[in-house]
Amino acid sequence: MRIIIEILLTGIAVSVAAFVVPGVQVDGFINAIIAGLLIALANATIGTLLRLFTLPINIISLGLMSFIITVFMVLLVDAFMKSFNTSGFVSALIFAAVLSVIKMVFSALK
């Protein structure tokens, strides 16, 4: 049951972030859920490997490199999904920031 709630909250977070950030579009709630799951999956697999390879830069930049990798994972999901679109790096950057704030609020409310 907890997994289903997490998936629904991820869909809501992606929907709200896409609504707030100009240049980001998601076609429907189901596609927002899929986009959120794909972003999480990309971060857990490819993102982890990239963070491992960029560990020295990540330490020097105080974690900024990790955030940039997350932005690239958003752009990767954008490239794979027709129903999730960002208009470029800046909108993906703002989307990733808004998405993490929304998910942080959801985590605090649990």
Side-chain angles (χ1 to χ4, degrees):
M1 184 68 170
R2 186 171 174 94
I3 290 284
I4 294 171
I5 292 171
E6 286 292 326
I7 291 171
L8 291 175
L9 287 177
T10 299
I12 292 169
V14 169
S15 295
V16 170
F19 179 76
V20 171
V21 177
V24 179
Q25 176 187 353
V26 178
D27 300 332
F29 185 67
I30 298 296
N31 290 319
I33 290 174
I34 294 169
L37 291 174
L38 288 177
I39 291 169
L41 183 65
N43 261 328
T45 56
I46 301 167
T48 302
L49 289 173
L50 289 174
R51 283 178 188 85
L52 183 64
F53 290 131
T54 60
L55 186 61
I57 297 170
N58 205 4
I59 291 170
I60 292 170
S61 70
L62 302 174
L64 182 63
M65 190 64 184
S66 255
F67 183 68
I68 299 300
I69 289 171
T70 300
V71 173
F72 282 123
M73 296 304 106
V74 169
L75 290 170
L76 181 68
V77 171
D78 173 28
F80 282 117
M81 286 186 70
K82 299 281 186 216
S83 55
F84 174 72
N85 297 308
T86 61
S87 63
F89 184 81
V90 174
S91 62
L93 181 110
I94 297 168
F95 175 81
V98 170
L99 184 63
S100 37
V101 167
I102 292 169
K103 290 191 78 161
M104 195 175 4
V105 168
F106 285 165
S107 292
L109 295 176
K110 288 186 208 176

XYZ file of all heavy atoms in Angstrom:
817
model
N 0.817 -1.189 0.000
C 0.000 0.000 0.000
C 0.874 1.273 0.000
O 0.543 2.237 -0.649
C -0.912 -0.037 1.237
C -1.864 1.105 1.290
S -3.045 0.948 -0.036
C -4.187 2.176 0.385
N 1.986 1.221 0.736
C 2.882 2.384 0.812
C 3.492 2.710 -0.552
O 3.664 3.875 -0.894
C 3.967 2.112 1.847
C 4.844 3.301 2.102
C 5.754 3.044 3.307
N 6.691 4.104 3.480
C 6.505 5.140 4.285
N 5.403 5.221 4.985
N 7.426 6.071 4.386
N 3.819 1.671 -1.319
C 4.389 1.875 -2.661
C 3.382 2.595 -3.553
O 3.763 3.506 -4.308
C 4.788 0.519 -3.285
C 5.989 -0.060 -2.570
C 5.047 0.628 -4.760
C 7.296 0.598 -2.921
N 2.131 2.214 -3.476
C 1.092 2.849 -4.301
C 0.956 4.322 -3.931
O 0.845 5.187 -4.816
C -0.249 2.106 -4.143
C -0.119 0.699 -4.720
C -1.381 2.868 -4.814
C -1.291 -0.204 -4.443
N 1.002 4.621 -2.653
C 0.924 6.014 -2.211
C 2.128 6.801 -2.710
O 1.985 7.938 -3.189
C 0.800 6.088 -0.673
C -0.554 5.529 -0.245
C 0.973 7.514 -0.163
C -0.721 5.349 1.239
N 3.319 6.208 -2.631
C 4.532 6.867 -3.133
C 4.426 7.157 -4.625
O 4.813 8.233 -5.089
C 5.763 6.008 -2.856
C 6.214 5.996 -1.429
C 6.770 7.339 -0.978
O 7.397 8.048 -1.792
O 6.552 7.668 0.193
N 3.916 6.193 -5.385
C 3.768 6.369 -6.836
C 2.781 7.491 -7.139
O 3.034 8.353 -7.994
C 3.347 5.043 -7.495
C 4.505 4.042 -7.436
C 2.890 5.253 -8.930
C 4.139 2.634 -7.851
N 1.658 7.514 -6.424
C 0.668 8.573 -6.636
C 1.223 9.946 -6.238
O 0.990 10.939 -6.937
C -0.609 8.263 -5.865
C -1.418 7.074 -6.369
C -2.592 6.802 -5.444
C -1.886 7.292 -7.794
N 1.964 10.005 -5.141
C 2.569 11.275 -4.727
C 3.614 11.747 -5.731
O 3.733 12.946 -5.988
C 3.184 11.142 -3.334
C 2.206 11.077 -2.169
C 2.943 10.864 -0.861
C 1.339 12.310 -2.101
N 4.338 10.817 -6.320
C 5.310 11.173 -7.361
C 4.586 11.753 -8.573
O 5.026 12.761 -9.143
C 6.140 9.941 -7.767
O 6.854 9.474 -6.634
C 7.116 10.279 -8.884
N 3.490 11.142 -8.963
C 2.699 11.663 -10.076
C 2.162 13.055 -9.797
O 2.192 13.937 -10.663
N 1.684 13.258 -8.575
C 1.189 14.585 -8.196
C 2.330 15.596 -8.222
O 2.166 16.715 -8.729
C 0.525 14.533 -6.803
C -0.769 13.724 -6.864
C 0.251 15.932 -6.273
C -1.365 13.387 -5.511
N 3.497 15.211 -7.698
C 4.644 16.120 -7.669
C 5.081 16.502 -9.079
O 5.349 17.678 -9.359
C 5.802 15.480 -6.906
N 5.142 15.528 -9.978
C 5.532 15.821 -11.366
C 4.483 16.708 -12.031
O 4.822 17.661 -12.743
C 5.759 14.513 -12.163
C 5.900 14.793 -13.644
C 6.984 13.782 -11.637
N 3.202 16.434 -11.786
C 2.132 17.245 -12.369
C 2.199 18.685 -11.893
O 2.091 19.622 -12.689
C 0.764 16.656 -12.022
O 0.592 15.411 -12.606
N 2.371 18.868 -10.593
C 2.436 20.218 -10.032
C 3.684 20.952 -10.537
O 3.609 22.118 -10.931
C 2.408 20.168 -8.485
C 2.728 21.523 -7.873
C 1.064 19.670 -8.000
N 4.823 20.265 -10.539
C 6.050 20.896 -11.017
C 5.931 21.285 -12.489
O 6.382 22.363 -12.890
C 7.242 19.965 -10.803
N 5.313 20.425 -13.299
C 5.130 20.747 -14.724
C 4.169 21.916 -14.900
O 4.327 22.722 -15.815
C 4.618 19.519 -15.469
N 3.187 22.019 -14.015
C 2.235 23.130 -14.093
C 2.905 24.446 -13.705
O 2.642 25.484 -14.314
C 1.039 22.852 -13.176
C 0.015 23.942 -13.169
C -0.854 24.096 -14.236
C -0.071 24.818 -12.101
C -1.799 25.113 -14.237
C -1.008 25.836 -12.090
C -1.876 25.982 -13.161
N 3.786 24.408 -12.720
C 4.427 25.619 -12.194
C 5.562 26.104 -13.089
O 5.728 27.307 -13.282
C 4.946 25.357 -10.757
C 5.805 26.487 -10.256
C 3.788 25.112 -9.821
N 6.331 25.182 -13.651
C 7.527 25.554 -14.409
C 7.164 25.797 -15.872
O 6.646 24.902 -16.543
C 8.605 24.446 -14.300
C 9.817 24.785 -15.141
C 8.992 24.222 -12.861
N 7.443 26.993 -16.376
C 7.200 27.232 -17.795
C 8.186 26.430 -18.645
O 9.352 26.280 -18.289
C 7.428 28.734 -17.964
C 8.179 29.167 -16.761
C 7.950 28.155 -15.677
N 7.700 25.883 -19.737
C 8.563 25.116 -20.621
C 8.551 23.632 -20.349
O 9.250 22.878 -21.017
N 7.764 23.187 -19.364
C 7.642 21.755 -19.069
C 6.186 21.368 -19.235
O 5.293 22.063 -18.749
C 8.114 21.422 -17.632
C 7.948 19.948 -17.338
C 9.557 21.839 -17.438
N 5.972 20.278 -19.946
C 4.610 19.824 -20.230
C 4.510 18.318 -20.027
O 5.378 17.567 -20.475
C 4.246 20.172 -21.671
C 2.899 19.669 -22.093
C 2.665 19.907 -23.575
O 3.447 20.560 -24.245
N 1.590 19.350 -24.075
N 3.450 17.899 -19.334
C 3.143 16.481 -19.157
C 1.707 16.285 -19.606
O 0.820 17.022 -19.191
C 3.298 16.042 -17.684
C 2.933 14.586 -17.521
C 4.692 16.279 -17.190
N 1.496 15.295 -20.463
C 0.155 15.021 -20.985
C -0.568 14.006 -20.113
O -0.511 12.809 -20.361
C 0.241 14.494 -22.425
C 0.896 15.488 -23.366
O 0.806 16.698 -23.090
O 1.505 15.051 -24.355
N -1.212 14.486 -19.042
C -2.027 13.619 -18.216
C -1.319 13.087 -16.985
O -0.088 13.072 -16.893
N -2.148 12.645 -16.022
C -1.637 12.186 -14.742
C -0.886 10.857 -14.861
O 0.137 10.660 -14.207
C -2.785 12.069 -13.735
C -2.326 11.719 -12.356
C -1.569 12.610 -11.619
C -2.642 10.498 -11.801
C -1.132 12.287 -10.346
C -2.216 10.163 -10.528
C -1.462 11.068 -9.800
N -1.374 9.953 -15.689
C -0.701 8.661 -15.872
C 0.702 8.886 -16.432
O 1.670 8.258 -15.983
C -1.515 7.731 -16.793
C -2.878 7.419 -16.177
C -0.754 6.453 -17.105
C -2.821 6.651 -14.880
N 0.824 9.783 -17.387
C 2.144 10.093 -17.947
C 3.036 10.793 -16.923
O 4.257 10.626 -16.951
C 2.006 10.935 -19.211
C 1.435 10.135 -20.353
O 1.796 8.984 -20.551
N 0.518 10.723 -21.093
N 2.438 11.558 -16.010
C 3.226 12.175 -14.940
C 3.771 11.104 -14.001
O 4.927 11.181 -13.564
C 2.362 13.178 -14.160
N 2.959 10.096 -13.705
C 3.420 8.987 -12.874
C 4.562 8.250 -13.565
O 5.599 7.961 -12.956
C 2.263 8.016 -12.552
C 1.272 8.676 -11.601
C 2.788 6.721 -11.947
C 0.020 7.864 -11.344
N 4.390 7.970 -14.850
C 5.433 7.262 -15.615
C 6.711 8.091 -15.658
O 7.810 7.565 -15.458
C 4.926 6.921 -17.034
C 3.783 5.906 -16.947
C 6.056 6.392 -17.904
C 3.039 5.700 -18.250
N 6.573 9.404 -15.905
C 7.755 10.272 -15.954
C 8.473 10.288 -14.605
O 9.704 10.197 -14.546
C 7.360 11.693 -16.353
N 7.718 10.375 -13.528
C 8.324 10.363 -12.200
C 9.054 9.062 -11.908
O 10.161 9.067 -11.362
N 8.437 7.959 -12.284
C 9.081 6.657 -12.076
C 10.337 6.513 -12.931
O 11.356 5.983 -12.463
C 8.099 5.525 -12.374
C 6.946 5.368 -11.384
C 5.964 4.312 -11.876
C 7.463 5.028 -10.011
N 10.278 6.985 -14.171
C 11.454 6.900 -15.038
C 12.585 7.803 -14.559
O 13.763 7.423 -14.642
C 11.075 7.236 -16.483
C 10.254 6.178 -17.218
C 9.881 6.670 -18.613
C 11.019 4.872 -17.306
N 12.255 8.983 -14.049
C 13.285 9.866 -13.505
C 13.936 9.202 -12.289
O 15.165 9.204 -12.153
C 12.696 11.249 -13.141
C 12.304 12.004 -14.416
C 13.689 12.073 -12.318
C 11.477 13.252 -14.173
N 13.118 8.602 -11.430
C 13.666 7.912 -10.253
C 14.525 6.724 -10.662
O 15.601 6.498 -10.093
C 12.524 7.458 -9.344
N 14.077 5.971 -11.662
C 14.842 4.817 -12.136
C 16.156 5.252 -12.776
O 17.208 4.650 -12.526
C 14.001 4.011 -13.133
C 14.619 2.744 -13.676
C 14.803 1.726 -12.548
C 13.748 2.153 -14.769
N 16.108 6.307 -13.581
C 17.333 6.811 -14.210
C 18.310 7.324 -13.151
O 19.515 7.078 -13.239
C 16.989 7.923 -15.207
N 17.795 8.009 -12.134
C 18.660 8.492 -11.057
C 19.275 7.349 -10.269
O 20.423 7.425 -9.845
C 17.868 9.391 -10.107
C 18.094 10.848 -10.393
O 19.155 11.241 -10.826
N 17.072 11.623 -10.158
N 18.497 6.284 -10.072
C 18.984 5.152 -9.277
C 20.017 4.315 -10.024
O 20.865 3.683 -9.398
C 17.812 4.271 -8.865
N 19.974 4.308 -11.337
C 20.900 3.475 -12.115
C 22.004 4.311 -12.735
O 23.126 4.341 -12.231
C 20.135 2.685 -13.197
O 19.411 3.596 -14.027
C 19.186 1.681 -12.578
N 21.686 4.995 -13.800
C 22.677 5.797 -14.522
C 23.212 6.925 -13.646
O 24.416 7.189 -13.619
C 22.067 6.362 -15.827
C 21.592 5.226 -16.724
C 23.060 7.239 -16.554
C 20.710 5.674 -17.855
N 22.310 7.574 -12.912
C 22.719 8.676 -12.044
C 23.703 8.248 -10.976
O 24.656 8.966 -10.669
N 23.481 7.068 -10.405
C 24.407 6.565 -9.389
C 25.794 6.328 -9.970
O 26.806 6.683 -9.346
C 23.858 5.267 -8.767
O 22.575 5.544 -8.197
C 24.779 4.731 -7.706
N 25.841 5.749 -11.151
C 27.141 5.527 -11.797
C 27.842 6.843 -12.104
O 29.051 6.981 -11.876
C 26.966 4.716 -13.082
C 26.594 3.248 -12.902
C 26.295 2.606 -14.251
C 27.713 2.509 -12.197
N 27.089 7.811 -12.604
C 27.686 9.114 -12.906
C 28.175 9.812 -11.637
O 29.232 10.437 -11.635
C 26.689 9.998 -13.647
C 26.393 9.596 -15.088
C 25.287 10.460 -15.669
C 27.646 9.695 -15.939
N 27.416 9.688 -10.551
C 27.843 10.289 -9.288
C 29.117 9.634 -8.774
O 29.967 10.291 -8.175
C 26.722 10.193 -8.256
C 25.624 11.197 -8.477
C 24.487 11.049 -7.468
N 23.374 11.897 -7.821
C 22.421 11.579 -8.679
N 22.426 10.416 -9.270
N 21.449 12.426 -8.946
N 29.236 8.343 -8.984
C 30.437 7.633 -8.566
C 31.661 8.121 -9.353
O 32.720 8.377 -8.778
C 30.254 6.125 -8.757
C 31.398 5.236 -8.304
C 31.603 5.352 -6.807
C 31.123 3.797 -8.689
N 31.497 8.277 -10.672
C 32.604 8.728 -11.509
C 32.968 10.191 -11.269
O 34.106 10.586 -11.478
C 32.293 8.516 -12.989
C 32.277 7.070 -13.394
C 31.226 6.562 -14.135
C 33.300 6.216 -13.035
C 31.202 5.222 -14.510
C 33.284 4.875 -13.395
C 32.237 4.381 -14.140
N 31.993 10.995 -10.850
C 32.243 12.422 -10.643
C 32.377 12.769 -9.159
O 32.216 13.929 -8.790
C 31.115 13.263 -11.271
O 29.872 12.910 -10.646
C 31.035 13.064 -12.761
N 32.696 11.785 -8.334
C 32.777 12.003 -6.890
C 33.733 13.135 -6.496
O 33.355 13.991 -5.686
C 33.151 10.706 -6.170
C 33.133 10.756 -4.653
C 31.741 11.085 -4.151
C 33.615 9.453 -4.086
N 34.938 13.205 -7.053
C 35.818 14.326 -6.652
C 35.224 15.697 -6.988
O 35.292 16.621 -6.176
C 37.100 14.082 -7.457
C 37.079 12.632 -7.789
C 35.638 12.270 -7.928
N 34.627 15.816 -8.162
C 33.999 17.088 -8.551
C 32.809 17.372 -7.649
O 32.563 18.517 -7.265
C 33.572 17.047 -10.037
C 34.788 16.882 -10.927
C 32.797 18.305 -10.410
C 34.456 16.582 -12.368
N 32.074 16.332 -7.308
C 30.914 16.477 -6.445
C 31.328 16.958 -5.050
O 30.652 17.797 -4.459
C 30.169 15.137 -6.350
C 28.718 15.304 -6.025
O 28.212 16.412 -5.928
N 28.042 14.204 -5.840
N 32.423 16.458 -4.548
C 32.910 16.892 -3.235
C 33.353 18.350 -3.290
O 33.015 19.147 -2.408
C 34.057 15.979 -2.751
C 33.501 14.584 -2.435
C 34.761 16.576 -1.544
C 34.558 13.541 -2.173
N 34.081 18.703 -4.337
C 34.568 20.078 -4.478
C 33.405 21.053 -4.654
O 33.411 22.149 -4.099
C 35.547 20.185 -5.659
C 36.831 19.427 -5.327
C 35.855 21.639 -6.004
C 37.768 19.262 -6.491
N 32.376 20.642 -5.404
C 31.244 21.537 -5.670
C 30.157 21.446 -4.598
O 29.084 22.032 -4.758
C 30.639 21.224 -7.039
O 29.985 19.966 -7.014
N 30.418 20.710 -3.517
C 29.478 20.573 -2.400
C 28.124 20.012 -2.837
O 27.064 20.437 -2.381
C 29.301 21.900 -1.660
C 30.572 22.519 -1.084
C 30.284 23.879 -0.506
C 31.197 21.603 -0.049
N 28.153 19.065 -3.744
C 26.936 18.374 -4.162
C 26.239 18.956 -5.374
O 25.236 18.413 -5.828
N 26.742 20.049 -5.896
C 26.102 20.660 -7.067
C 26.135 19.729 -8.273
O 25.188 19.684 -9.052
C 26.777 21.997 -7.400
C 26.182 22.768 -8.564
C 24.745 23.153 -8.247
C 27.008 23.983 -8.869
N 27.195 18.959 -8.402
C 27.305 18.026 -9.531
C 26.190 16.978 -9.482
O 25.674 16.580 -10.517
C 28.683 17.359 -9.507
C 28.990 16.580 -10.732
S 29.051 17.729 -12.123
C 29.288 16.587 -13.433
N 25.808 16.560 -8.296
C 24.706 15.608 -8.145
C 23.410 16.189 -8.694
O 22.639 15.501 -9.351
C 24.501 15.263 -6.677
O 24.985 14.010 -6.395
N 23.177 17.463 -8.406
C 21.970 18.111 -8.908
C 22.011 18.228 -10.428
O 21.001 18.003 -11.103
C 21.801 19.493 -8.264
C 20.549 20.177 -8.689
C 19.313 19.696 -8.298
C 20.601 21.289 -9.498
C 18.148 20.317 -8.713
C 19.450 21.920 -9.912
C 18.212 21.434 -9.513
N 23.159 18.561 -10.988
C 23.298 18.659 -12.443
C 23.047 17.295 -13.095
O 22.407 17.201 -14.144
C 24.688 19.216 -12.830
C 24.871 20.620 -12.259
C 24.908 19.192 -14.326
C 23.869 21.636 -12.740
N 23.499 16.226 -12.455
C 23.246 14.875 -12.973
C 21.748 14.589 -12.953
O 21.207 14.011 -13.903
C 24.047 13.827 -12.170
C 25.533 13.968 -12.495
C 23.560 12.411 -12.450
C 26.454 13.154 -11.613
N 21.047 15.023 -11.909
C 19.597 14.857 -11.856
C 18.921 15.601 -13.002
O 17.978 15.093 -13.615
C 19.052 15.337 -10.500
O 19.655 14.575 -9.464
C 17.547 15.196 -10.429
N 19.409 16.798 -13.308
C 18.857 17.561 -14.437
C 19.062 16.786 -15.739
O 18.152 16.696 -16.569
C 19.498 18.963 -14.517
C 19.064 19.688 -15.783
C 19.147 19.777 -13.287
N 20.220 16.179 -15.907
C 20.463 15.376 -17.104
C 19.557 14.138 -17.151
O 19.153 13.711 -18.232
C 21.930 14.984 -17.216
C 22.810 16.093 -17.719
C 23.890 16.526 -16.974
C 22.547 16.717 -18.928
C 24.700 17.551 -17.425
C 23.345 17.755 -19.387
C 24.423 18.175 -18.642
N 19.216 13.598 -16.002
C 18.287 12.455 -15.973
C 16.882 12.900 -16.387
O 16.175 12.174 -17.077
C 18.249 11.801 -14.586
C 19.561 11.179 -14.135
S 20.228 9.952 -15.264
C 21.588 10.850 -15.987
N 16.496 14.116 -16.010
C 15.209 14.676 -16.457
C 15.229 14.841 -17.976
O 14.269 14.481 -18.670
C 14.913 16.020 -15.755
C 13.728 16.725 -16.400
C 14.661 15.806 -14.271
N 16.329 15.351 -18.505
C 16.448 15.512 -19.962
C 16.462 14.160 -20.676
O 15.929 14.033 -21.784
C 17.703 16.312 -20.305
C 17.668 17.785 -19.921
C 19.034 18.422 -20.090
C 16.614 18.525 -20.726
N 17.042 13.145 -20.043
C 17.049 11.804 -20.619
C 15.629 11.245 -20.709
O 15.236 10.692 -21.739
C 17.942 10.879 -19.780
C 18.074 9.437 -20.246
C 18.840 9.381 -21.558
C 18.780 8.613 -19.182
N 14.865 11.408 -19.646
C 13.469 10.953 -19.661
C 12.671 11.737 -20.702
O 11.832 11.176 -21.403
C 12.844 11.066 -18.257
C 11.346 10.819 -18.291
C 13.522 10.088 -17.308
N 12.964 13.027 -20.833
C 12.320 13.842 -21.865
C 12.595 13.277 -23.260
O 11.706 13.238 -24.107
C 12.823 15.282 -21.758
C 12.342 16.174 -22.894
O 11.270 15.900 -23.453
O 13.040 17.144 -23.202
N 13.805 12.807 -23.477
C 14.158 12.256 -24.790
C 13.428 10.934 -25.072
O 13.135 10.627 -26.233
C 15.663 12.035 -24.868
N 13.113 10.174 -24.035
C 12.448 8.884 -24.219
C 10.931 8.970 -24.267
O 10.284 8.106 -24.859
C 12.849 7.908 -23.107
C 14.200 7.305 -23.305
C 15.220 7.541 -22.405
C 14.462 6.500 -24.407
C 16.475 6.987 -22.595
C 15.704 5.946 -24.596
C 16.714 6.190 -23.695
N 10.349 9.981 -23.628
C 8.886 10.081 -23.556
C 8.371 11.175 -24.474
O 8.848 12.303 -24.433
C 8.441 10.393 -22.122
C 8.544 9.247 -21.168
S 7.830 9.657 -19.559
C 6.086 9.725 -19.968
N 7.381 10.839 -25.264
C 6.735 11.842 -26.127
C 5.775 12.714 -25.320
O 5.494 13.844 -25.690
C 5.953 11.152 -27.248
C 6.807 10.324 -28.158
C 7.521 11.181 -29.147
C 8.240 10.286 -30.139
N 9.492 10.836 -30.545
N 5.251 12.191 -24.213
C 4.235 12.900 -23.435
C 4.820 13.722 -22.285
O 4.083 14.310 -21.505
C 3.222 11.901 -22.890
O 3.885 10.906 -22.150
N 6.144 13.767 -22.177
C 6.822 14.589 -21.179
C 7.858 15.419 -21.919
O 8.787 14.882 -22.518
C 7.496 13.696 -20.119
C 8.337 14.456 -19.128
C 7.748 15.251 -18.168
C 9.716 14.360 -19.152
C 8.521 15.943 -17.249
C 10.503 15.039 -18.247
C 9.902 15.837 -17.286
N 7.673 16.735 -21.901
C 8.547 17.608 -22.686
C 9.100 18.746 -21.844
O 8.368 19.372 -21.081
C 7.782 18.208 -23.871
C 7.305 17.149 -24.822
O 8.080 16.319 -25.260
N 6.011 17.160 -25.124
N 10.387 18.998 -22.008
C 11.008 20.188 -21.445
C 11.560 20.996 -22.609
O 11.932 20.447 -23.636
C 12.156 19.837 -20.470
O 13.158 19.111 -21.172
C 11.662 19.023 -19.300
N 11.612 22.303 -22.424
C 12.064 23.144 -23.536
C 13.569 23.382 -23.519
O 14.065 24.191 -24.284
C 11.308 24.471 -23.529
O 11.593 25.181 -22.358
N 14.292 22.696 -22.643
C 15.741 22.847 -22.628
C 16.314 22.653 -21.240
O 15.627 22.266 -20.291
N 17.604 22.945 -21.132
C 18.335 22.699 -19.895
C 17.807 23.545 -18.740
O 17.647 23.059 -17.619
C 19.831 22.963 -20.107
C 20.670 22.640 -18.909
C 21.048 21.336 -18.644
C 21.061 23.648 -18.032
C 21.809 21.029 -17.535
C 21.825 23.348 -16.911
C 22.196 22.035 -16.658
N 17.530 24.822 -19.004
C 17.098 25.718 -17.928
C 15.749 25.288 -17.371
O 15.558 25.250 -16.147
C 17.060 27.189 -18.417
C 16.469 28.094 -17.358
C 18.448 27.655 -18.802
N 14.807 24.944 -18.245
C 13.506 24.499 -17.739
C 13.630 23.161 -17.013
O 12.947 22.930 -16.010
C 12.470 24.427 -18.866
O 12.849 23.489 -19.834
N 14.506 22.274 -17.467
C 14.736 21.009 -16.761
C 15.387 21.274 -15.402
O 15.068 20.597 -14.420
C 15.614 20.082 -17.600
N 16.278 22.254 -15.322
C 16.921 22.620 -14.063
C 15.897 23.141 -13.062
O 15.860 22.704 -11.902
C 17.994 23.680 -14.331
C 18.771 24.140 -13.123
C 20.196 23.610 -13.220
C 18.788 25.644 -13.074
N 15.041 24.042 -13.508
C 14.006 24.588 -12.626
C 13.012 23.491 -12.236
O 12.598 23.400 -11.074
C 13.297 25.780 -13.298
C 14.296 26.919 -13.533
C 12.123 26.271 -12.450
C 13.784 28.023 -14.442
N 12.650 22.632 -13.196
C 11.739 21.525 -12.916
C 12.321 20.601 -11.850
O 11.617 20.208 -10.911
C 11.466 20.742 -14.208
C 10.637 19.506 -14.005
C 9.265 19.587 -13.897
C 11.230 18.256 -13.921
C 8.494 18.455 -13.704
C 10.483 17.118 -13.725
C 9.107 17.212 -13.622
N 13.594 20.254 -11.958
C 14.232 19.364 -10.979
C 14.246 20.004 -9.593
O 14.008 19.327 -8.589
C 15.645 19.011 -11.426
N 14.496 21.307 -9.532
C 14.509 22.001 -8.243
C 13.112 22.026 -7.623
O 12.936 21.723 -6.437
C 15.047 23.416 -8.413
N 12.114 22.374 -8.427
C 10.735 22.426 -7.929
C 10.267 21.033 -7.524
O 9.625 20.862 -6.480
C 9.800 23.057 -8.988
C 8.341 22.904 -8.610
C 10.144 24.520 -9.192
N 10.604 20.034 -8.321
C 10.212 18.662 -8.013
C 10.812 18.206 -6.685
O 10.119 17.599 -5.864
C 10.639 17.719 -9.145
C 10.221 16.265 -9.020
C 8.701 16.138 -9.042
C 10.831 15.442 -10.140
N 12.073 18.529 -6.446
C 12.666 18.098 -5.178
C 12.068 18.842 -3.987
O 11.903 18.246 -2.920
C 14.173 18.195 -5.162
O 14.699 19.239 -5.791
N 11.692 20.086 -4.155
C 11.042 20.821 -3.064
C 9.667 20.213 -2.768
O 9.308 20.006 -1.599
C 10.928 22.327 -3.397
C 10.000 23.037 -2.434
C 12.290 22.977 -3.402
N 8.910 19.907 -3.810
C 7.577 19.309 -3.621
C 7.698 17.950 -2.940
O 6.951 17.645 -1.998
C 6.839 19.193 -4.971
C 6.496 20.578 -5.509
C 5.568 18.359 -4.814
C 5.999 20.577 -6.935
N 8.643 17.128 -3.387
C 8.820 15.817 -2.768
C 9.289 15.950 -1.318
O 8.927 15.136 -0.463
C 9.775 14.969 -3.592
C 9.142 14.558 -4.932
C 9.937 13.535 -5.630
C 9.641 12.242 -4.949
N 9.931 11.046 -5.637
N 10.079 16.980 -1.016
C 10.515 17.220 0.357
C 9.313 17.595 1.240
O 9.200 17.131 2.372
C 11.559 18.348 0.374
C 12.322 18.447 1.634
S 13.669 19.686 1.656
C 13.592 20.525 0.125
N 8.419 18.400 0.690
C 7.202 18.780 1.438
C 6.346 17.534 1.683
O 5.840 17.326 2.796
C 6.400 19.864 0.677
C 5.020 20.065 1.272
C 7.173 21.168 0.673
N 6.179 16.701 0.662
C 5.404 15.460 0.828
C 6.036 14.558 1.888
O 5.326 13.947 2.673
C 5.281 14.705 -0.497
C 4.309 15.300 -1.472
C 4.326 14.918 -2.795
C 3.374 16.245 -1.076
C 3.423 15.448 -3.708
C 2.477 16.792 -1.979
C 2.497 16.393 -3.293
N 7.351 14.477 1.907
C 8.038 13.645 2.903
C 7.836 14.187 4.316
O 7.709 13.415 5.265
C 9.530 13.565 2.602
O 9.759 12.857 1.422
N 7.803 15.507 4.435
C 7.597 16.118 5.749
C 6.174 15.903 6.251
O 5.940 15.835 7.459
C 7.922 17.597 5.689
N 5.222 15.787 5.337
C 3.818 15.608 5.714
C 3.459 14.183 6.098
O 2.402 13.945 6.670
C 2.900 16.071 4.578
C 2.952 17.564 4.262
C 2.070 17.882 3.065
C 2.540 18.394 5.472
N 4.333 13.217 5.797
C 4.021 11.816 6.095
C 4.039 11.543 7.564
O 4.722 11.985 8.347
C 5.024 10.880 5.416
C 4.846 10.800 3.950
C 5.786 9.731 3.439
C 6.204 9.992 2.031
N 7.151 9.058 1.569
